[in-house]
Amino acid sequence: MLGFRFTLSVALLLIVEAVLGLTINTPSSVVECQPTALTFSGGTAPYYITALPGGEVSGTVLKTFPTQTAEGSYTWTVDIAAGTTVTLSLKDATGTIAYSGEFTIEEGTSDSCLTTSSASTLSISTSSVAATKATASTVTKASTKTSATSAATKATTSEISSTTALTVKAVSSSISTSTRTSTTLISSSHSTTASVSSATTSS
């Protein structure tokens, strides 16, 4: 009988949970660095709340809140930058998940609660920009150096070509001159031989 009552109690609890369901309300007027209440109910404790990019239930988690041991409300000092669209995810002990509607963080009078994370982000961004500029400068210098080397190579090649052309021309001219001289000497030799032969015959 006791076992039956326990089973019935569990069944009733499950029915109540099914009727009520696991829910997390969509907060209104969420302002940067100001407190806002996150209210949730249904399901089975403990509860796990996370902030996700608006409408992206599989997106990268923006913030993980402390584990809640009972349904009710949690006060959050909004430490996500203004302009960010957010969806809240609520998961209970059974693994059931509920989502809030989308809402956008409004700009507040102070962003002091973001100082640390913003400084860190700015530092990373600055480092990335500096690294990018350094890389671009290195590439530009390398390109300039390559262009200069290419120009020097072209000049050297042109100089070599001119020198080679002059050398070939000079050699050709020398050979031509030598050939003409040799031909003249041969012709003179033939003439002298002919004269000697003629003189001998006359005698």
Side-chain angles (χ1 to χ4, degrees), residues 1-12:
M1 185 68 174
L2 182 60
F4 173 74
R5 286 180 180 175
F6 176 76
T7 303
L8 181 60
S9 297
V10 172
L12 288 173

Side-chain angles (χ1 to χ4, degrees), residues 33-124:
C33 291
Q34 292 187 18
T36 191
L38 307 181
T39 57
F40 51 96
S41 60
T44 305
Y47 301 94
Y48 309 95
I49 305 173
T50 54
L52 302 170
E56 299 180 26
V57 296
S58 299
T60 302
V61 174
L62 300 176
K63 180 177 177 62
T64 300
F65 297 90
T67 301
Q68 305 299 301
T69 56
E71 63 180 327
S73 178
Y74 172 76
T75 301
W76 168 35
T77 298
V78 183
D79 55 354
I80 294 177
T84 305
T85 302
V86 178
T87 292
L88 296 175
S89 168
L90 173 68
K91 183 169 73 171
D92 73 355
T94 68
T96 302
I97 301 176
Y99 298 98
S100 72
E102 295 181 35
F103 58 93
T104 301
I105 309 296
E106 299 174 17
E107 187 173 357
T109 56
S110 171
D111 61 356
S112 57
C113 68
L114 306 177
T115 301
T116 302
S117 58
S118 296
S120 176
T121 302
L122 179 61
S123 176
I124 292 172

Side-chain angles (χ1 to χ4, degrees), residues 122-145:
L122 179 61
S123 176
I124 292 172
S125 299
T126 302
S127 297
S128 298
V129 170
T132 301
K133 286 184 176 179
T135 301
S137 176
T138 301
V139 170
T140 301
K141 287 179 180 178
S143 178
T144 302
K145 190 176 291 185

